[in-house]
C-alpha cells in the first residue's frame, strides 16, 4: 500500500467527522516520538488564541506521555476561560502532566485502549541517578518500607525475648528497641534530608495543581483523587484505565465505539511517522464562485462542488 502524502489525513478526516457529530470544536494535542508538553505546546495555543473565541464546547484530542506540569496547568486554565464546556478525548494515552489536564475537564471520554497515569513528577539527575529519570516518590516509599520494617523487627525481637527467655514485656521492650534501632538506624543515616525535602516540594507541585483543577470543576472527590494519583501507585507508568478512573471519582465516559475506531486508525498512521501536531483541523470552505446560469428553457441548475481542504490548522513538528 502506498504511503499517504499527508500521514495525518486520516486523523484529520476523523476529527472533522467527530466535530459534526459531537457539535464541538476539537483542538488536537498529539505528541509523537520524544515530544511532550513543553514550550512548543504552549506557543501553539498562543499562536492560535483568536480561534478560541466564542466557543460553546471545546474538546481536546489528547495523546501525550506528559511533560511540564506548570504548562499543563496553565493551558487547562486557559481552555476553561475560553469555553463553557471543556471535554478531553483520550483514544490511547494521556499520562502524567496530560492526566493533570484531564482533571480540569467536565468529562473525559476514554477509548477502549485509553489510559491515564499517576501524577508523581519525574526528575532528571544524570550525575547522581543516571540517564533514566527517577520519581521522587521512591524516597518516600523507601522510608515507608523502613518504618514498617522497624516495627516488624521490634515485634520480632520482643516476641522472642518474651517466649524464649521468659522475660517480662516491660523488660523486653528496651532490649528489642535497641536491636531494631541498631539495624534500621544505619539505613536511615543514608537518607539526605535536604534531598528528601526537595523531592517533597516537587511532589507538592503536582498535588497543588491537581487540587486546584479538580476544585475548579467542583469535583467532590478532589482530596481522595489527589492522594491516590500522587502517592498510591507503585510506578510512574501504572495504567489508570477506565474502571480505575471511574473508581477514583473522575468524570469519565466511554468514547463511542465508531468514533474510537476512527481515531485509532488515524493515530496509528500519525504515530508510525512519529509526527507531533497541534491545532484545529481546518474545515472545508464552500466555493465563492457564482453559479453558472442555465439556458432559458432548462429549469435545472448545477453548482460546482466546494473546494476540499486537507490541511490542518495546527503546525506539525518533526520529532
Amino acid at each position: 500500500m502506498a504511503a499517504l502524502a499527508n500521514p495525518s489525513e486520516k486523523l484529520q478526516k476523523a476529527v472533522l467527522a467527530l466535530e459534526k457529530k459531537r457539535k464541538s470544536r476539537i483542538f488536537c494535542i498529539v505528541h509523537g516520538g520524544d515530544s511532550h508538553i513543553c514550550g512548543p505546546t504552549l506557543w501553539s495555543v498562543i499562536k492560535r488564541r483568536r480561534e478560541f473565541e466564542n466557543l460553546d464546547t471545546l474538546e481536546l484530542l489528547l495523546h501525550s506521555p506528559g511533560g511540564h506540569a506548570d504548562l499543563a496547568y496553565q493551558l487547562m486554565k486557559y481552555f476553561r476561560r475560553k469555553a463553557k464546556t471543556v471535554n478531553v478525548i483520550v483514544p490511547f494515552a494521556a499520562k502524567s502532566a496530560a492526566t493533570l489536564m484531564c482533571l480540569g475537564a467536565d468529562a473525559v471520554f476514554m477509548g477502549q485502549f485509553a489510559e491515564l497515569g499517576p501524577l508523581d513528577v519525574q526528575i532528571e539527575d544524570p550525575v547522581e541517578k543516571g540517564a533514566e529519570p527517577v520519581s521522587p516518590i521512591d524516597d518516600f516509599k523507601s522510608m515507608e518500607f523502613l518504618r514498617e520494617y522497624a516495627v516488624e523487627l521490634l515485634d520480632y525481637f520482643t516476641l522472642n525475648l518474651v517466649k524464649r527467655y521468659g522475660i517480662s514485656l516491660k523488660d523486653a521492650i528496651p532490649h528489642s528497641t535497641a536491636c531494631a534501632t541498631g539495624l534500621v538506624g544505619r539505613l536511615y543515616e543514608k537518607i539526605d534530608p535536604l534531598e528528601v525535602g526537595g523531592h517533597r516540594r516537587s511532589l507538592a507541585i503536582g498535588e497543588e495543581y491537581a487540587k486546584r483543577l479538580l476544585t475548579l470543576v467542583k469535583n467532590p472527590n478532589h482530596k481522595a483523587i489527589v492522594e491516590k494519583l500522587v502517592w498510591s501507585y507503585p510506578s510512574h507508568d501504572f495504567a489508570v484505565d477506565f474502571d480505575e478512573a471511574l473508581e477514583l471519582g473522575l468524570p469519565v465516559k466511554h468514547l463511542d465505539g465508531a468514533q474510537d475506531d476512527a481515531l485509532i486508525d488515524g493515530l496509528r498512521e500519525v504515530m508510525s511517522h512519529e509526527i507531533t501536531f497541534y491545532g484545529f483541523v481546518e474545515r472545508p470552505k464552500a466555493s465563492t464562485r457564482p453559479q453558472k446560469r442555465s439556458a432559458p428553457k432548462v429549469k435545472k441548475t448545477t453548482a460546482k462542488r466546494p473546494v476540499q481542504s486537507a490541511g490542518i490548522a495546527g503546525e506539525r513538528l518533526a520529532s
Side-chain angles (χ1 to χ4, degrees):
M1 182 181 294
L4 294 174
N6 179 3
S8 64
E9 181 180 355
K10 187 179 292 186
L11 179 61
Q12 293 177 44
K13 289 181 178 179
V15 169
L16 287 175
L18 259 64
E19 286 187 335
K20 184 179 292 186
K21 289 181 180 179
R22 299 171 69 88
K23 296 180 174 55
S24 66
R25 284 292 274 152
I26 298 176
F27 188 82
C28 303
I29 301 178
V30 177
H31 290 125
D34 295 328
S35 298
H36 55 277
I37 298 172
C38 56
T41 314
L42 176 63
W43 283 109
S44 72
V45 175
I46 293 174
K47 182 179 179 181
R48 296 168 185 83
R49 60 192 181 278
R50 294 179 180 84
E51 299 177 44
F52 289 92
E53 299 300 329
N54 303 317
L55 293 179
D56 184 27
T57 301
L58 170 65
E59 299 193 296
L60 307 176
L61 175 59
L62 190 55
H63 177 74
S64 174
H68 296 280
D70 307 89
L71 296 182
Y73 175 77
Q74 188 176 354
L75 285 170
M76 202 60 192
K77 286 290 294 291
Y78 175 80
F79 295 143
R80 294 241 49 122
R81 290 195 298 269
K82 291 299 180 179
K84 296 178 182 177
T85 301
V86 179
N87 299 326
V88 176
I89 301 172
V90 184
F92 283 131
K95 307 287 280 187
S96 194
T99 295
L100 178 64
M101 294 183 69
C102 293
L103 301 186
D106 293 295
V108 181
F109 291 87
M110 297 180 68
Q112 56 190 320
F113 298 106
E115 63 178 82
L116 310 180
L119 294 179
D120 57 321
V121 298
Q122 298 292 282
I123 296 176
E124 294 183 356
D125 188 356
V127 175
E128 296 291 339
K129 305 294 185 180
E132 292 296 323
V134 296
S135 173
I137 205 170
D138 291 344
D139 288 347
F140 295 96
K141 289 296 183 181
S142 297
M143 289 190 292
E144 182 180 309
F145 165 75
L146 289 177
R147 183 176 67 248
E148 295 172 355
Y149 182 51
V151 174
E152 290 177 5
L153 286 175
L154 183 63
D155 289 342
Y156 172 78
F157 287 126
T158 301
L159 185 63
N160 274 276
L161 287 173
V162 171
K163 284 192 171 183
R164 285 193 177 188
Y165 304 107
I167 300 176
S168 68
L169 184 63
K170 179 179 178 182
D171 293 332
I173 288 179
H175 294 290
S176 58
T177 300
C179 292
T181 302
L183 289 174
V184 178
R186 293 185 178 183
L187 298 176
Y188 268 104
E189 289 175 358
K190 302 294 183 181
I191 297 174
D192 184 350
L194 291 179
E195 183 178 16
V196 172
H199 287 176
R200 181 63 185 91
R201 188 169 58 251
S202 298
L203 288 168
I205 295 172
E207 281 183 306
E208 189 63 27
Y209 283 150
K211 181 178 70 176
R212 290 174 182 239
L213 287 176
L214 288 166
T215 302
L216 184 65
V217 295
K218 298 180 174 58
N219 190 309
N221 306 304
H222 64 274
K223 290 184 179 179
I225 293 172
V226 172
E227 174 72 20
K228 186 87 179 216
L229 286 176
V230 175
W231 293 100
S232 298
Y233 292 108
S235 73
H236 183 69
D237 295 325
F238 194 92
V240 179
D241 60 10
F242 180 89
D243 294 332
E244 182 77 13
L246 187 64
E247 186 178 338
L248 278 174
L250 293 175
V252 292
K253 298 181 180 181
H254 284 294
L255 181 61
D256 176 81
Q259 297 177 13
D260 189 24
D261 287 338
L263 289 174
I264 286 174
D265 290 340
L267 280 171
R268 284 182 60 234
E269 188 69 32
V270 169
M271 292 300 101
S272 67
H273 289 79
E274 296 190 343
I275 291 173
T276 293
F277 64 81
Y278 309 106
F280 295 106
V281 175
E282 186 178 349
R283 289 173 172 175
K285 297 179 181 178
S287 174
T288 57
R289 294 181 181 178
Q291 295 180 346
K292 289 184 177 180
R293 295 186 178 230
S294 58
K297 293 183 180 180
V298 181
K299 293 183 179 180
K300 294 183 179 180
T301 60
T302 59
K304 287 187 176 289
R305 294 182 178 178
V307 177
Q308 298 294 319
S309 172
I312 186 168
E315 64 190 34
R316 193 181 307 154
L317 304 177
S319 300

